[in-house]
Amino acid sequence: MKFGVDIGHNCPPDTGARGIKIEDNLTLDVGNRVITKLKSLGHEVIPCKPDRASTVTESLAKRCDKANAARVDVYVSIHFNSFNGQANGTEVFAGSETSRKIAKPVLDEIVKLGFFSRGVKSGSHLYVLRNTNMPAILVEGCFLDSQKDMNLFNPEALANAIVKGLTGKLPTTPVNPVPDEEQNVDTTIQRLQKTLNQLKITDKNGKPLVEDGLSGSATSSAVAKFQKIAGISETGTADKATWDAINLILAKRIIRPNHAGGPVIRYLQYRLGVEVDGVYGPQTEVTVKNFQKQNGLLADGIIGPASWQKLIA
């Protein structure tokens, strides 16, 4: 059988939830094990996670495109839940009645590990289940913000349960674990660090970030600084709103006086040393023109490709 295995998120700005653990790390660990175990049982596996995407929608579309182009028999998307620290258990979403028949044994095997069964649910609202051409399921392994679930969680056992639910067979070949976030270079964090450095956002000590993929106080302080500049909630964690603001800036759209506002203008004001209010008014226009003159550009107050090149190489 040919399986399409989608390791959830792990494609900024498409990043997962954070709680006691980080969803991107858990889906990567469990997903890689599932892929290896299915192959060890003689199945063909098409990894569906894209390498890069500009938006969350593009990330989701690329996953579906990979599965559809390869004409996989079954599509399996692996995720973890997060809610309020109290909710717990496992649920599997299905895209059709045929999919429900695939989802039920997967759920049953995971529940045997001790997780509360939240049932097989309709996934008609989920992009990847709506846009794949084959039976498709999305597994929410457990709640990563639930201490109860995290005490039960074991990536090897969960991967075995998913594979047995899909195939009826228990793989015997163990898979070397992916190191946890404390040891693993998190590519999402690394990309975040590279991007903040590109945007000239420093840490709390005014220093560029070390691009090591490790989450720490320096990265958190730089994220909080960026969030303050962009005018969004200062959590120190790069959530969807943070990546949306980053991507707006990186889009380098043409900016004209009196016709723009929001995070992009706030960022420009921060870089140019003018009051950060998110409004491209007369004071900002004068500062932009002075910046353009100093850099040998046409001083028209319009932030176009040449001005962006000076601001963001």
Side-chain angles (χ1 to χ4, degrees), residues 32-271:
N32 282 334
R33 293 170 190 265
V34 168
I35 289 171
T36 301
K37 291 171 184 293
L38 286 171
K39 288 180 177 178
S40 74
L41 292 173
H43 298 285
E44 185 177 353
V45 181
I46 304 298
C48 295
K49 181 184 75 67
D51 294 326
R52 61 183 60 86
S54 299
T55 65
V56 173
T57 300
E58 182 185 0
S59 171
L60 298 175
K62 284 185 172 182
R63 297 166 198 268
C64 298
D65 291 344
K66 285 190 175 188
N68 292 337
R71 298 176 181 264
V72 303
D73 299 309
V74 176
Y75 175 89
V76 183
S77 188
I78 298 172
H79 288 260
F80 286 83
N81 247 325
S82 178
F83 185 50
N84 62 1
Q86 301 301 314
N88 63 91
T90 300
E91 56 197 16
V92 182
F93 290 90
S96 65
E97 283 304 312
T98 302
S99 303
R100 293 183 74 90
K101 294 176 182 178
I102 298 169
K104 184 61 165 61
V106 171
L107 175 67
D108 291 345
E109 289 298 326
I110 297 175
V111 168
K112 289 177 184 178
L113 301 176
F115 295 104
F116 170 70
S117 175
R118 299 173 65 89
V120 174
K121 299 182 177 181
S122 170
S124 59
H125 62 294
L126 298 174
Y127 187 104
V128 293
L129 301 190
R130 290 200 319 268
N131 292 281
T132 41
N133 299 332
M134 67 292 302
I137 66 172
L138 186 146
V139 180
E140 293 280 6
C142 61
F143 282 75
L144 54 78
D145 63 342
S146 161
Q147 191 61 62
K148 179 180 179 181
D149 278 4
M150 288 296 95
N151 289 343
L152 289 169
F153 173 70
N154 178 294
E156 179 74 3
L158 184 59
N160 278 341
I162 293 172
V163 172
K164 186 175 181 185
L166 291 171
T167 66
K169 296 179 181 180
L170 184 64
T172 56
T173 306
V175 177
N176 292 330
V178 173
D180 199 10
E181 68 240 35
E182 289 80 12
Q183 295 81 38
N184 190 35
V185 173
D186 187 322
T187 56
T188 302
I189 297 297
Q190 193 171 58
R191 181 186 172 194
L192 174 65
Q193 292 164 334
K194 288 178 181 292
T195 302
L196 291 174
N197 283 339
Q198 181 185 1
L199 295 177
K200 312 299 185 191
I201 306 296
T202 56
D203 68 12
K204 57 188 175 184
N205 297 316
K207 296 180 179 180
L209 296 174
V210 177
E211 298 172 6
D212 56 7
L214 301 177
S215 181
S217 60
T219 300
S220 180
S221 68
V223 171
K225 180 186 287 188
F226 173 80
Q227 290 168 331
K228 182 178 182 179
I229 293 166
I232 57 182
S233 180
E234 296 173 46
T235 64
T237 300
D239 54 10
K240 183 177 182 299
T242 304
W243 278 108
D244 285 347
I246 287 172
N247 286 326
L248 277 174
I249 296 166
L250 294 179
K252 302 179 182 178
R253 295 185 176 90
I254 296 175
I255 304 297
R256 293 180 172 84
N258 303 313
H259 290 282
V264 178
I265 296 302
R266 293 178 66 91
Y267 172 74
L268 288 171
Q269 291 169 329
Y270 162 77
R271 287 295 307 279

